[in-house]
Amino acid sequence: MRILILEDDPAIAFDLQAILEADGHEVVDSISSLAEAYQHLDDRFDCALLDIDVIGGKSFGVAETLIERHIPFVFVSASAPSDLPQSLQRAAFVAKPFEEKVLLQTVEHAVPNLLPC
């Protein structure tokens, strides 16, 4: 799977990328701000991992755009799922600190129509 990461903590972004690549996924980019995220929305990727609080604000607008484009995503955040707006309450969510196995399972379930790598 081709995955885009939106995470403003470089250490966490590095960990996410290492976990995904070790599982056979391709990380198309790891970005840290909302401005960068909007610039990369036209890139080809199968799924996105979104931290909620990133440089420039919250990633809710990015998530809404991904929904409109039918691109699966997973929130990976220290925020609580209850902090999500009502329209995003059903989104896939992995709490930080995350376990590698839970992260990978959630990503696989978020993109049900793709064959696993």
Side-chain angles (χ1 to χ4, degrees):
M1 231 183 306
R2 295 172 48 83
I3 301 175
L4 178 71
I5 298 172
L6 172 58
E7 169 60 61
D8 63 345
D9 182 318
I12 295 172
F14 179 81
D15 286 346
L16 289 169
Q17 183 167 350
I19 290 166
L20 293 166
E21 289 176 345
D23 197 51
H25 301 291
E26 177 186 352
V27 173
V28 295
D29 212 339
S30 182
I31 53 181
S32 61
S33 72
L34 288 180
E36 288 177 297
Y38 284 111
Q39 291 174 358
H40 286 275
L41 287 177
D42 289 328
D43 294 354
R44 289 185 46 236
F45 54 93
D46 304 306
C47 181
L49 299 185
L50 306 177
D51 187 9
I52 291 175
D53 293 300
V54 295
I55 298 169
K58 297 194 181 291
S59 63
F60 301 145
V62 173
E64 294 285 355
T65 301
L66 293 174
I67 290 170
E68 290 170 8
R69 295 181 181 196
H70 305 286
I71 300 171
F73 64 90
V74 176
F75 284 116
V76 180
S77 178
S79 298
S82 60
D83 293 338
L84 296 171
Q86 185 65 33
S87 62
L88 297 172
Q89 289 280 318
R90 296 174 63 181
F93 191 97
V94 174
K96 291 179 186 173
F98 53 84
E99 293 181 25
E100 183 175 326
K101 182 178 178 180
V102 171
L103 175 73
L104 293 172
Q105 287 175 340
T106 305
V107 169
E108 293 294 333
H109 286 116
V111 189
N113 296 327
L114 293 177
L115 295 174
C117 297

